[in-house]
Amino acid sequence: MDPAYDRGVSVLHLDADELNTCVGCGLCLPHCPTFRVTGEEALSPRGRIAAMRAVEWEGAPVDDDFVGFMATCVQCRGCEPACPSGVPYGHLIEATRTTLATTGRTTPWWQRLGFRALTHHRLLLAGSTLLAVAQRAHLVPKRLGLGRLPVRRGAAVAATGTDVWLYTGCVMDAWLRGTHRSAASVLDALGVGYAVPGAGGACCGALHTHAGLHADAAALATRVIASMPGDAPILVDSAGCGAALKEYGHLLGTPEAAAFSARVYDVLEWVAPRAGELRLARRADPIIVHDPCHLRHVQRAHQPVRDVLGRFADLIELDDDGLCCGAGGAYSALQPELAGDIRERKLAVIDAARGPATVLASANPGCAMHLAGPLAERGITVAHPVDLLAEALA
Ligand code: SF4
Ligand code: SF4
């Protein structure tokens, strides 16, 4: 029995009411990627909640098994929309991961160092270029699951006005800056002026939250909020970053953070009601639509992607209810075996649905990088939906 439990102290620091919500119905199980590939109850949402309860309510030890159950969760949150009881699983796993990181059970120093590098944007850009060169020299192990990084990334987007903020992020700007230029060209076509965040507004802290580095994530959120003052809407073209910005209200627990989150939109969520103003050339080939978990399960903003792309192309849907692809931020690098198994399921679903399509739309850089390699072998390229929209501008 954990001595902290014996003293009546909450070991994992979970909200008791939130932990109590699960009724054990199991309706979430088919929506959990780690359960689907392993068939193990302990690697399902219900199993993980039961393990949290055992620690919090019965004094079970925080042993290696427990740490493994929590560390293998992709944090895709596919279990949340499937749950009839509204279990806020994201809150439970984030608090648990924070306790595990704080007590040194997860997130060793070298991972913390890597996450810290994300907050120094120039260092990140230089490191990404070095990594891209190393990739060309075949010095980067394939098991890391990194897609092909750009040696040259082109010009950064520059402000044109103050109607909206265009959030540029850290990894997104280093690896997929062309997507920012696509978003900018769509805003130009709509006659909308955009500002870009000031110094310190690069990293949103999403990966820090996933890794249990709560204090770092909160400090980054504070910097991001300060970098985009005023009332203008904030448009985000990375689903993971958009989800993080929309959850700053919960992360910081202040009215100011909640007001900031209310200004945040996925870029196509904001463009969709205005898309009728765009002159678009019809695309001859269909587009496969892939829903990143943080767009579908967290932001619940996957329909606008269809509303916009459907204006100029036929769309191909995947028959798996938005099951995760296994990217999960840093998950594909930290849990490569499970991430690979989960990706295989996704690839099988894509193979079954693709028909003549040679392009797949994904609104998250992590998913795009994770899927790009094996999809290239199938003759399919991955593009952000806003890249495809910019291409279609007549
Ligand atoms: S967040 Fe994803 S991987 Fe984790 S328990 Fe829920 S469905 Fe499973
Ligand atoms: S998390 Fe929700 S769906 Fe899953 S077992 Fe608990 S109550 Fe049922």
Side-chain angles (χ1 to χ4, degrees), residues 21-29 45-47 49 53 79-80 82-87 89:
T21 342
C22 175
V23 296
C25 65
L27 289 174
C28 53
L29 268 60
R46 183 174 63 185
I49 291 167
R53 286 176 170 178
C79 42
E80 285 190 11
C83 175
S85 302
V87 174
Y89 180 83

Side-chain angles (χ1 to χ4, degrees), residues 28-29 31-35 43-46 48 69-70 72-80 89-90 93 293 297 323-324 331 342:
C28 53
L29 268 60
H31 302 270
C32 174
T34 54
F35 177 76
L43 300 190
S44 76
R46 183 174 63 185
R48 292 185 171 105
F69 301 154
M70 301 305 143
T72 51
C73 172
V74 196
Q75 301 189 62
C76 67
R77 293 169 61 177
C79 42
E80 285 190 11
Y89 180 83
I93 190 70
C293 296
H297 306 314
L323 195 70
C324 177
Y331 187 85
I342 295 168

